[in-house]
Amino acid sequence: MSFSGWEYIWTAVMPLAVLLYYFFRKKYKDQRVSSTLFWQEMMKEIRASPYLKKLQHHLLLYLQLAALLLCVFALLGPHLDSETLEGNEFIFVVDTSATMLAGTPTGFEQQQELMKSLTGQTGGKPVTIITTGASPEIVIRKERDAEILNKAIDRLAVSYENAEIEQSLLFAETLVDDESTVIHVFTDALDRKLLANKVGQVYEVHGIEQQLRNISMRQFGLSETADGMRAIVQVVNETDEEVSAEVVLSGGDIEKTAAIVLPANEEQLVPFEKLPSEPLWQATLDVEDDYSEDNTMAAFTQQASSGIAVDSSLHELIGAGFRSLNIEVKGMEPGQLAKAGPIPIVTNQTDMLKNDAPVLLIGRNDEKNHPVAGQIETVPHALFTYGSLDDVYVSAVYPPFENFETLASIDGEPLIQLSPEGDIVVLTDIQLTDWPLSPSFPLFLWSAASELSGTDNFLGIFQPNEQRSVALTSTNREWEIYKGGEYLYSYIEGQGPFTAPQEPGIYDVAGEAPLKMIVQLSNDEKTLASGTSYQLGQAEATAETVDFSIVPWLILVVLIVVLMEWEVYRRGIAPR
């Protein structure tokens, strides 16, 4: 302990003055003596120890002396000395992935307490806090006030998405001003190899060394069989001991349970046969472990196909457009398209409209085109949510189909139609337009593939906070997201890509037609790892000390003593 106000030591005479005042003040008291014979005896007793008796009967004096002494001590400026963190500036990289929720208390809560402890040792040096993820975010920038930093740390929350530590560290390095900046990484585990090539930068990694138990559900799938639906659940035991668990499968009002025994460090497939036809199923793993976020998964019966069959006689830019969207393209001869299966088909053969497979018809092989001129006009539809056709030039179109809904027209004639079965018809050839030169061309192909391969009531499976373009359209251009009947937020069409909720679960998307959406963890967030704390590099800043004043605590004690003094005084003057 040190003192910063030795010039106030002279105030120590004040308690001494109060004490002397009590010693030598005159105090008169009426005393009845029954006989002068006892007078001398009484005086002897009083004079025997006058000062001691006064002190024994004056609790008020003790409290006053204590308050004065504490005030004198506070004026001296007592404080505790502690070394500051190494470095002149600090960047806190905080892992907000789902695995940080493992343990009790959770790893994230432990790291929050550690961060608040370290902010008290910065000595007023600037601190920047960023969170991890696909898009690292700056929470606070070069803040020196410890109170503001602690409030920002308390507001941090787990985002459930992949940590993307390497990408987050590259982002943190762009914020480094000089070599004296130290990057503190708060995570559960970080391999040293990831930092091996980062020369010239100082890293302080704070890992969680606690060994945790985890039994996770890795995969959950549904398929149709001749005897009904079939579900398979993959369960993995990451512990070194045998574990008993239950897998509960629920869909609608149906619930089935399977008891399993998992050997140490093994995985097991749990099948469920002859299930009734329900569109949405949820599997839950009932087991005692330290990480519950990976114990639930959901699956939709009808999921979108990832592939598409393209007629090889069409212009090659059509296949190239689908490939640019990372859609698997199967080039097939016109006579083989009927054998493509349930995946969407892109062709100009009108006979394919009679098949069960969804069709994107571009042009017609049974009619001749005729010239047109003018600007394309569209109606509100998901096909045009992300791509406008205003600047597209079309020189000729084919005759339209009767009883098909017209979605786009040019010069008063249908250009894009929608069949009653949901097939999409483009009444022109690609080579008769400049459409492939427009950014709207691949966007239209993506929207068409989504419309043909998707379902009417399922939006898809997303990872937490995943941003994805979705083909949604409504008259008011707004979709509301609900979970368990509780409204969360709204998505406005055209205002950037759709962002999935951050917490895993089943969501309702309310618009013109209600949709279901599933958000669940990636497999990377279903494996726990214990790490260590270590430092790489040496900061140039010399070690300094930071003072922690104890004056506020002394003031609190003085107030308590004053309250006690008042109570003693009040009792002393109270009538008996």
Side-chain angles (χ1 to χ4, degrees):
M1 181 184 296
S2 304
F3 298 90
S4 59
W6 283 108
E7 64 272 16
Y8 294 102
I9 189 65
W10 63 268
T11 57
V13 302
M14 290 190 293
L16 181 60
V18 173
L19 188 61
L20 292 176
Y21 168 75
Y22 268 86
F23 280 170
F24 297 107
R25 73 171 182 172
K26 292 183 179 181
K27 187 174 182 182
Y28 300 96
K29 181 180 179 182
D30 294 335
Q31 180 70 45
R32 292 176 178 270
V33 181
S34 58
S35 172
T36 56
L37 296 176
F38 300 104
W39 177 259
Q40 293 181 352
E41 295 297 327
M42 179 172 291
M43 293 302 296
K44 288 180 182 179
E45 182 179 351
I46 293 176
R47 293 171 179 171
S49 54
Y51 304 127
L52 182 60
K53 281 187 175 294
K54 288 181 180 180
L55 291 176
Q56 287 176 344
H57 295 289
H58 290 86
L59 178 59
L60 191 61
L61 169 64
Y62 305 152
L63 294 174
Q64 290 175 343
L65 289 175
L68 284 171
L69 289 173
L70 288 172
C71 289
V72 171
F73 191 63
L75 287 173
L76 296 179
H79 54 265
L80 301 176
D81 299 331
S82 177
E83 288 191 0
T84 62
L85 293 179
E86 184 182 82
N88 288 329
E89 186 177 340
F90 311 99
I91 298 176
F92 289 180
V93 180
V94 187
D95 185 351
T96 58
S97 61
T99 54
M100 295 296 290
L101 292 174
T104 305
T106 66
F108 192 74
E109 292 172 341
Q110 296 178 41
Q111 296 291 31
Q112 280 181 305
E113 293 301 319
L114 177 58
M115 281 186 281
K116 288 193 285 188
S117 173
L118 293 180
T119 56
Q121 303 176 31
T122 58
K125 299 173 184 176
V127 177
T128 299
I129 301 177
I130 67 174
T131 55
T132 63
S135 300
E137 295 183 0
I138 300 176
V139 177
I140 199 166
R141 181 80 163 118
K142 291 189 176 182
E143 181 57 52
R144 298 175 181 269
D145 192 318
E147 184 176 355
I148 296 177
L149 287 169
N150 288 337
K151 289 181 179 179
I153 292 171
D154 288 332
R155 289 194 299 267
L156 295 175
V158 171
S159 64
Y160 292 91
E161 60 182 299
N162 292 346
E164 303 292 349
I165 287 288
E166 187 171 4
Q167 178 177 332
S168 301
L169 294 181
L170 291 174
F171 176 72
E173 290 174 356
T174 63
L175 305 177
V176 174
D177 293 332
D178 52 53
E179 295 181 354
S180 64
T181 301
V182 180
I183 299 178
H184 290 258
V185 184
F186 300 87
T187 183
D188 47 5
L190 182 61
D191 194 343
R192 289 175 179 263
K193 296 179 182 178
L194 194 63
L195 305 176
N197 297 325
K198 297 185 179 297
V199 181
Q201 184 60 56
V202 183
Y203 282 91
E204 184 82 26
V205 178
H206 306 276
I208 299 176
E209 300 182 12
Q210 183 180 5
Q211 295 288 338
L212 299 175
R213 289 167 42 88
N214 184 38
I215 298 91
S216 64
M217 186 182 299
R218 296 293 175 83
Q219 299 291 339
F220 173 38
L222 296 169
S223 62
E224 293 186 6
T225 65
D227 298 328
M229 297 296 301
R230 184 172 189 261
I232 296 180
V233 180
Q234 181 190 30
V235 184
V236 178
N237 180 10
E238 295 183 355
T239 68
D240 295 329
E241 57 186 22
E242 187 177 83
V243 176
S244 298
E246 283 188 350
V247 178
V248 181
L249 191 68
S250 58
D253 297 330
I254 310 298
E255 183 173 292
K256 292 183 176 293
T257 303
I260 60 174
V261 177
L262 290 166
N265 298 307
E266 294 290 339
E267 65 178 54
Q268 185 173 333
L269 296 178
V270 185
F272 291 86
E273 306 286 353
K274 299 180 180 180
L275 298 174
S277 179
E278 288 287 343
L280 186 64
W281 292 86
Q282 180 169 291
T284 304
L285 180 63
D286 187 5
V287 66
E288 293 184 4
D289 63 355
D290 297 317
Y291 184 44
S292 61
E293 304 301 322
D294 59 357
N295 292 348
T296 303
M297 290 189 71
F300 201 80
T301 304
Q302 301 173 354
Q303 296 186 12
S305 173
S306 59
I308 196 166
V310 178
D311 191 333
S312 59
S313 65
L314 296 180
H315 198 284
E316 61 182 9
L317 287 177
I318 296 176
F322 282 113
R323 292 188 185 94
S324 68
L325 301 169
N326 293 324
I327 296 177
E328 181 183 356
V329 176
K330 299 179 180 179
M332 303 184 71
E333 295 294 329
Q336 301 294 322
L337 290 174
K339 302 178 182 179
I343 63 175
I345 297 174
V346 183
T347 183
N348 65 347
Q349 301 181 54
T350 55
D351 292 341
M352 295 302 300
L353 294 174
K354 301 176 183 179
N355 292 348
D356 294 333
V359 175
L360 170 59
L361 193 72
I362 301 180
R364 296 184 63 168
N365 65 342
D366 60 342
E367 296 284 353
K368 292 184 178 180
N369 58 60
H370 58 275
V372 293
Q375 188 175 12
I376 299 176
E377 297 179 356
T378 61
V379 300
H381 194 272
L383 287 173
F384 315 119
T385 301
Y386 301 102
S388 173
L389 306 184
D390 294 342
D391 299 329
V392 175
Y393 169 75
V394 178
S395 62
V397 296
Y398 290 95
F401 290 88
E402 294 184 2
N403 301 322
F404 280 24
E405 179 185 359
T406 299
L407 303 180
S409 59
I410 181 172
D411 197 16
E413 298 190 44
L415 174 63
I416 299 177
Q417 291 184 298
L418 185 67
S419 75
E421 291 77 20
D423 297 323
I424 300 172
V425 177
V426 179
L427 296 169
T428 188
D429 294 324
I430 295 300
Q431 55 268 31
L432 298 176
T433 73
D434 64 351
W435 201 2
L437 302 178
S438 172
S440 64
F441 180 66
L443 294 174
F444 174 83
L445 293 181
W446 182 88
S447 298
S450 299
E451 285 288 307
L452 295 174
S453 61
T455 63
D456 295 333
N457 53 359
F458 183 61
L459 185 59
I461 297 178
F462 295 77
Q463 293 185 10
N465 293 322
E466 179 182 354
Q467 292 188 344
R468 184 193 304 175
S469 296
V470 294
L472 290 173
T473 183
S474 64
T475 55
N476 60 359
R477 302 180 60 84
E478 181 177 359
W479 293 79
E480 297 178 340
I481 313 300
Y482 292 84
K483 184 179 183 183
E486 180 181 354
Y487 170 79
L488 299 179
Y489 62 94
S490 294
Y491 166 64
I492 308 297
E493 295 176 16
Q495 295 185 358
F498 176 79
T499 302
Q502 70 173 16
E503 188 174 349
I506 300 173
Y507 293 83
D508 294 295
V509 183
E512 288 186 352
L515 301 172
K516 291 287 186 181
M517 175 178 62
I518 296 174
V519 177
Q520 52 196 26
L521 300 177
S522 67
N523 282 340
D524 291 338
E525 294 303 310
K526 296 180 180 181
T527 301
L528 298 184
S530 60
T532 58
S533 299
Y534 56 89
Q535 180 177 340
L536 293 178
Q538 186 73 28
E540 290 187 355
T542 57
E544 300 176 0
T545 59
V546 60
D547 300 335
F548 296 96
S549 176
I550 63 174
V551 172
W553 297 103
L554 291 176
I555 293 175
L556 178 62
V557 175
V558 169
L559 291 176
I560 295 174
V561 172
V562 170
L563 290 176
M564 294 173 60
E565 183 180 342
W566 166 252
E567 179 64 17
V568 171
Y569 175 74
R570 187 187 65 82
R571 289 176 177 271
I573 64 174
R576 299 183 181 179

